[in-house]
Amino acid sequence: MLRRDIEGRGVRDARVLEAMASVPREAFVEPDHARQAYADRPLPIGMGQTISQPYVVAWMAEALELTATDRVLEIGTGSGYAAAVLSLLCEEVYTVERHAYLAAGAGERLAALGYGNVRVRHGDGAGGWPGRGPYDAIVAAAASPRIPDSLLEQLRVGGRLVMPVGSAGARQQLVRKRRGADGVTEEGLGVVRFVPLVTGDG
Ligand code: SAH
């Protein structure tokens, strides 16, 4: 999968490829789906949610341009798989998940597998995780028609934010924002399809 689906589709960052090779995806899917864990596609994880496609996890990790001292905020912990990959590329990962069941499962799984630099919080991640910011990088694994201001406010100067922008059920654009000393720039990276970012009461 690594060579065909991830390197083959253009992910080149050696640290990202190494992290993808090291995280056991089968430990993040339900036992019924373990045999498909290395197919390059999303799989159900309960609560109507999915573990992201490995290629997309690698692509987003590369787009974040992480260094070993970075502190990263992730919105949409899901299974914890992407958080595990990110944790190998930076100093600390703070990840927020709105489903209590998924947050608890991911926290237990990450601890059991020894990913000690990941903090999982149950809550609405559209507001970020203010007490721990600002962050060097912010990534959302759920799509929204626009990027919440509160997330951008938690991005430090020099920081990168990567998030799918668009409506639920439609093709979305993966967008990268950079906060420079003079303001925020934006680029489109390509087309993706994510579950929606659900905020407030839905
Ligand atoms: N990164 C995950 C993929 C998760 S899918 C993995 O590797 O498994 C996206 C997740 O975002 C879902 O679990 C969904 O419940 C969560 N989500 C949606 N809206 C959210 C919000 N406002 N705050 C936090 N999590 C949210």
Side-chain angles (χ1 to χ4, degrees):
M1 179 187 80
L2 196 64
R3 219 174 354 255
R4 186 191 59 214
D5 297 319
I6 298 179
E7 273 190 89
R9 289 177 69 181
V11 174
R12 289 283 175 268
D13 186 320
R15 293 174 68 236
V16 170
L17 295 172
E18 206 178 300
M20 293 298 298
S22 128
V23 176
R25 192 170 185 249
E26 75 275 9
F28 293 85
V29 302
E30 292 169 334
D32 286 356
H33 296 288
R35 286 173 57 202
Q36 293 136 277
Y38 294 97
D40 187 32
R41 56 187 180 88
L43 292 170
I45 56 172
M47 311 302 292
Q49 306 301 320
T50 51
I51 181 173
S52 304
Q53 178 187 355
Y55 163 67
V56 174
V57 171
W59 180 22
M60 290 172 86
E62 183 174 59
L64 289 169
E65 299 176 352
L66 298 177
T67 67
T69 56
D70 281 353
R71 296 169 66 256
V72 178
L73 172 67
E74 179 194 43
I75 312 306
T77 316
S79 67
Y81 174 69
V85 171
L86 295 170
S87 78
L88 299 175
L89 300 167
C90 70
E91 189 162 301
E92 206 130 31
V93 177
Y94 297 88
T95 179
V96 187
E97 168 57 52
R98 68 180 286 271
H99 283 294
Y101 165 82
L102 295 176
E108 282 167 23
R109 199 173 289 128
L110 288 160
L113 292 167
Y115 297 101
N117 60 341
V118 183
R119 304 278 163 270
V120 183
R121 176 185 182 179
H122 168 228
D124 182 353
W129 185 337
R132 305 298 182 105
Y135 302 94
D136 300 285
I138 299 178
V139 60
S144 171
R146 59 182 294 276
I147 296 177
D149 290 336
S150 42
L151 292 185
L152 276 171
E153 282 160 14
Q154 289 167 45
L155 192 62
R156 75 160 180 79
V157 172
R160 295 79 55 201
L161 178 151
V162 171
M163 177 166 181
V165 175
S167 306
R171 288 147 58 93
Q172 303 135 5
Q173 184 66 217
L174 190 64
V175 167
R176 174 167 56 197
K177 298 235 187 201
R178 282 177 202 278
R179 180 179 293 290
D182 309 324
V184 177
T185 61
E186 173 174 327
E187 42 187 321
L189 302 178
V191 170
V192 288
R193 189 186 281 263
F194 274 85
V195 297
L197 183 79
V198 179
T199 67
D201 59 9

